[in-house]
Amino acid sequence: MHPRLLAIAGPLKDSIIPLSDGESTLGREPTCTLPVVDPSVSRKHCLLRSEDGCFLIKDLGSRNQTVVNGVAVKEQWLRHGDEIVLGDSAFLFLTEEESRQVPASRVEFDESHPPAETKLIYPKEVVYLDPDRLLRELPEKSQLSRNLNALLKIARVVHAIRDLEELQAQLLDLIFDVVPASRGAILLAEKGTQEFSSLYARTRHAGQTQLVRVSRTIARQVMNETVAILGVDVPASDKLRDVESLAASDVRSLLCVPLTVFQRVIGCIYLDSTRLGNRFNEDHLQLMVAVAGISAVALDNARRLEWLEKENQRLMEVSQEESLVGDGARMKEIYQFLAKVAPAESTVLIEGESGTGKELAAAALHRNSPRSKKPFVAINCAAIPKELLESDLFGHERGAFTGATSQKKGRLEIADGGVVFLDEIGELVPELQVKLLRVLQERSFDRVGGTRPIKVDIRLIAATNRDLNEAVRNGGFRQDLYYRLAVVKVTMPPLRERKEDIPLLTRHFVQQYAKKGHQKPKPVSREAMATLMNHDWPGNVRELENAIEHALVLGSSDSVLPEDWPESLLEHAPAADMTEGKYHASVKELKKQLIIDAVVQTRGNYVEAAASLGVHPNYLHRLIKNLGLKEALQDALRGGSRGRGR
């Protein structure tokens, strides 16, 4: 075992850090066992402790958390291949020795015609696929016997490998053991086309990489006709011996066989030989058709698995981008509620201020419910005009009103079997409240202009930022509908009541924006974070997300500074427990003095002052406001006037 960290992101990227027995600390402090000069890493971020050959990682109260495989952890035993993220730095924990892989060669097609001397064979003619013929023709110690042993070995190996690239490499190695090929390629086609989505090529000698030219004409004929092709003597072909690419590669024989799964050709195996004494023959052709028959399903399955893993990773990333974020006490209560309620069929009412994540909570209920594979239909009752909302919800029949030229299914009907999320349910007009009550009671409704009730199987989740109890008392909302909606009820906490989640949310939005813009995430300075922590957030998480995007778009430095936030966030001084560090406080004071001096020297001409400072006048005004310099400048200018008067 060789425990080590491989840095894959951050200032230590591409370096390998050996791990010794005992404890090792990681952090920004030079005194740490493994110092990481990264402003997003805490002074003492985490420690690694070795016990009986195993390693435990423990977070030391870092501000950006210790993340293992995408999950923030306090303590966790590490396994080979685990990814550790500390701020903007990332490491792979490795214990096993990496195996050396033989590099793959490149593939290039030429458009020449196949050799003149060729032999075609169809699957039904292959002796290795005819058990009765094998029994009749199998003498002891024959070539046939040796080939059968090779086929059995190939069958055992290829069906035990799941990784596509490893499978192709092993398969070509096994083929080189029984066929005198100099080069080989496995070509897998895109489904329903003859365009190859996967090309893997190798040479016989390990470590040797060179161009492998594949005749596109031969490959297409094999794919089109489901036929195996043997080109015995390429130099003897009038059409091919003068082809510069084949002459340069010294190709003597060609062999290409189809890969077929359930009568569907998924690709082909291509081989060529460059040695005069190692030309392919009919026995090689027979053997390779059998090899293709054995390995086609394994190759197809490995390719499907590779696609599924990539798709799963993509969906996980989408899910993370659209999930609730936070690990404070209030959010843990929400997670517990969602976990209990998701498997049930009960109607749920989600209350909370705008921007608290009500729709994300509804989506989480759907995603973790038995209806997760059915539709999730979200409808904002406040965004659709009331005269259109009825048709949008329930649909309409042809001729139901002017412009109804055809029948239209409503959202409730489209969501059959799934979940309907009605956002801003408090804005629903009284006439539609009556219809919705019927849906909840009977799970049926009539289209606009229709006479036949339509049954639907839906789960309904509603959300509101209004006090529906107060609306019921005022007569603006039906009491019976309220009780039907509030079978199970939860209130999403406003951001001001869970400020401990602000650093985690900030990092989440910074990374999300950087990913969309293909940029490196910017660290958020301590002073900028202090501003966030001191804000009341009337717009909740949505306001925070907008503030972060504003700062990342308009900020001009390598990190997010307080002056980069929108003006609405800069009305308060930092909270008492988030005081500025000595360095940043000194920098801020220097900024203030430079601005005051420039404005006084230009006698209050802000355009000239901005020019002397090398900034845009608009940015100067923004700095003056953000740094709270208005009164100081007025006093300085009055003082300058008095000095000139004397």
Side-chain angles (χ1 to χ4, degrees):
M1 193 172 85
H2 175 40
R4 62 203 183 278
L5 294 178
L6 170 63
I8 57 175
L12 298 176
K13 184 178 180 181
D14 297 329
S15 60
I16 298 175
I17 306 163
L19 296 176
S20 57
D21 293 337
E23 289 190 352
S24 302
T25 55
L26 282 79
R28 205 171 68 249
E29 276 192 356
T31 57
C32 288
T33 314
L34 304 174
V36 183
V37 186
D38 183 342
S40 64
V41 173
S42 297
R43 293 182 182 278
K44 288 189 176 180
H45 203 108
C46 66
L47 68 80
L48 290 168
R49 184 169 69 246
S50 171
E51 293 184 14
D52 299 325
C54 298
F55 279 81
L56 176 76
I57 189 167
K58 181 178 181 181
D59 185 74
L60 298 177
S62 63
R63 69 174 185 274
N64 283 334
Q65 301 183 315
T66 299
V67 179
V68 178
N69 296 330
V71 179
V73 300
K74 298 299 182 186
E75 286 188 10
Q76 182 166 310
W77 291 101
L78 295 174
R79 296 178 300 177
H80 175 75
D82 281 350
E83 182 188 67
I84 304 168
V85 176
L86 316 177
D88 294 324
S89 295
F91 306 86
L92 285 180
F93 174 74
L94 303 173
T95 57
E96 302 171 7
E97 294 294 339
E98 299 298 322
S99 59
R100 296 182 60 187
Q101 292 187 348
V102 179
S105 300
R106 294 188 299 117
V107 170
E108 181 178 290
F109 289 101
D110 71 69
E111 306 297 337
S112 304
H113 292 287
E117 186 180 355
T118 62
K119 181 173 179 63
L120 308 183
I121 187 172
Y122 293 88
K124 63 184 180 180
E125 302 169 359
V126 177
V127 64
Y128 295 103
L129 300 180
D130 186 346
D132 294 331
R133 186 176 172 188
L134 280 175
L135 290 174
R136 294 192 305 270
E137 298 187 13
L138 187 59
E140 192 174 349
K141 295 183 180 179
S142 67
Q143 181 66 40
L144 201 59
S145 178
R146 289 193 294 273
N147 288 346
L148 276 177
N149 286 331
L151 288 175
L152 288 173
K153 184 178 180 181
I154 289 172
R156 285 196 302 269
V157 171
V158 299
H159 291 289
I161 301 174
R162 299 174 63 187
D163 181 76
L164 179 59
E165 185 167 346
E166 183 184 355
L167 174 59
Q168 293 175 119
Q170 291 274 10
L171 181 57
L172 285 177
D173 280 343
L174 292 169
I175 289 171
F176 290 149
D177 287 343
V178 293
V179 177
S182 303
R183 292 179 290 265
I186 298 174
L187 318 176
L188 300 178
E190 192 72 39
K191 186 176 180 181
T193 73
Q194 288 189 357
E195 297 301 320
F196 295 107
S197 60
S198 173
L199 305 172
Y200 187 89
R202 284 277 301 280
T203 60
R204 170 178 287 275
H205 302 291
Q208 183 183 42
T209 60
Q210 65 182 59
L211 184 68
V212 176
R213 297 186 183 275
V214 176
S215 168
R216 192 183 297 274
T217 303
I218 292 177
R220 282 180 174 169
Q221 183 178 354
V222 167
M223 301 271 295
N224 284 333
E225 301 179 19
T226 317
V227 62
I229 295 179
L230 169 64
V232 176
D233 191 356
V234 171
S237 169
D238 293 336
K239 293 182 178 179
L240 293 181
R241 65 182 165 203
D242 295 328
V243 176
E244 185 178 344
S245 60
L246 293 179
S249 300
D250 197 25
V251 174
R252 300 288 177 172
S253 294
L254 293 173
L255 198 157
C256 191
V257 296
L259 292 163
T260 308
V261 176
F262 302 122
Q263 299 182 341
R264 176 174 58 89
V265 180
I266 65 164
C268 60
I269 299 176
Y270 167 88
L271 302 172
D272 68 31
S273 174
T274 58
R275 299 185 62 182
L276 186 62
N278 286 340
R279 291 178 179 173
F280 301 141
N281 55 40
E282 185 176 349
D283 186 69
H284 296 136
L285 182 62
Q286 291 269 355
L287 178 61
M288 281 309 303
V289 173
V291 169
I294 290 172
S295 58
V297 172
L299 288 165
D300 194 40
N301 288 341
R303 180 171 60 168
R304 287 172 181 270
L305 181 61
E306 183 181 79
W307 180 87
L308 287 171
E309 287 176 344
K310 289 180 180 178
E311 181 68 5
N312 184 54
Q313 180 64 32
R314 185 189 69 81
L315 291 173
M316 285 177 65
E317 291 172 359
V318 171
S319 176
Q320 290 170 0
E321 289 180 1
E322 297 178 353
S323 294
L324 294 164
V325 176
D327 59 4
R330 294 296 302 275
M331 287 308 296
K332 286 179 180 176
E333 292 175 2
I334 296 296
Y335 298 146
Q336 290 171 1
F337 171 86
L338 296 176
K340 288 181 180 179
V341 174
E345 287 293 309
S346 305
T347 301
V348 182
L349 178 62
I350 304 174
E351 298 180 322
E353 298 175 8
S354 293
T356 52
K358 296 188 291 295
E359 184 168 353
L360 292 179
L365 286 172
H366 169 256
R367 196 163 51 242
N368 295 285
S369 75
R371 297 175 179 264
S372 59
K373 295 183 180 179
K374 297 294 183 178
F376 176 79
V377 178
I379 305 162
N380 190 319
C381 300
I384 304 173
K386 62 181 182 180
E387 58 271 13
L388 300 179
L389 184 57
E390 182 178 14
S391 173
D392 195 63
L393 277 173
F394 304 107
H396 61 252
E397 298 289 352
R398 180 180 180 182
F401 50 82
T402 303
T405 56
S406 62
Q407 184 192 79
K408 174 194 170 185
K409 289 185 177 181
R411 302 277 193 99
L412 297 180
E413 199 171 346
I414 292 171
D416 189 34
V419 173
V420 173
F421 173 61
L422 294 177
D423 199 7
E424 307 296 354
I425 190 71
E427 306 302 321
L428 204 63
V429 296
E431 309 91 83
L432 293 185
Q433 291 180 28
V434 175
K435 282 200 165 190
L436 182 59
L437 180 61
R438 181 191 171 192
V439 173
L440 289 172
Q441 290 173 333
E442 303 175 13
R443 291 297 192 268
S444 71
F445 60 89
D446 296 334
R447 293 197 190 106
V448 177
T451 57
R452 181 177 58 86
I454 297 170
K455 289 282 186 181
V456 286
D457 171 25
I458 58 171
R459 182 183 188 183
L460 196 137
I461 301 173
T464 180
N465 61 3
R466 294 179 57 188
D467 184 346
L468 288 190
N469 267 318
E470 182 66 25
V472 169
R473 286 193 293 271
N474 296 336
F477 202 83
R478 292 181 63 96
Q479 187 177 50
D480 47 3
L481 177 57
Y482 173 73
Y483 289 135
R484 285 282 182 179
L485 291 172
V487 175
V488 180
K489 187 168 67 170
V490 66
T491 301
M492 299 298 294
L495 188 54
R496 62 182 173 275
E497 294 180 7
R498 58 179 189 109
K499 287 192 174 182
E500 67 273 16
D501 289 332
I502 288 177
L504 186 60
L505 284 162
T506 301
R507 179 169 175 77
H508 171 77
F509 289 133
V510 167
Q511 290 179 333
Q512 193 178 88
Y513 184 84
K515 183 178 178 182
K516 289 179 180 176
H518 303 288
Q519 302 169 352
K520 182 181 178 181
K522 275 188 181 183
V524 178
S525 71
R526 182 178 174 82
E527 298 75 28
M529 184 61 71
T531 304
L532 298 183
M533 297 296 289
N534 196 44
H535 188 57
D536 288 335
W537 299 108
N540 293 296
V541 178
R542 188 178 295 124
E543 183 186 1
L544 173 62
E545 182 179 6
N546 292 340
I548 290 167
E549 184 171 352
H550 178 280
L552 295 175
V553 170
L554 296 180
S556 55
S557 62
D558 293 335
S559 61
V560 177
L561 303 175
E563 54 263 32
D564 296 329
W565 298 129
E567 294 179 1
S568 59
L569 268 66
L570 301 171
E571 298 170 356
H572 305 286
D577 59 345
M578 292 289 288
T579 55
E580 295 178 325
K582 184 177 179 181
Y583 169 77
H584 293 291
S586 300
V587 170
K588 182 183 285 187
E589 288 304 316
L590 179 60
K591 282 184 182 179
K592 289 181 179 181
Q593 195 57 51
L594 286 171
I595 292 170
I596 291 172
D597 290 346
V599 173
V600 170
Q601 288 170 9
T602 58
R603 300 181 182 181
N605 188 320
Y606 289 93
V607 174
E608 292 182 8
S612 69
L613 291 169
V615 299
H616 193 278
N618 291 344
Y619 184 62
L620 176 60
H621 283 290
R622 192 164 159 226
L623 281 173
I624 291 169
K625 182 166 185 175
N626 293 348
L627 295 172
L629 287 177
K630 189 174 181 181
E631 292 185 7
L633 284 171
Q634 290 174 348
D635 292 341
L637 288 170
R638 282 197 294 268
S641 298
R642 285 196 295 271
R644 287 192 299 274
R646 286 194 296 270

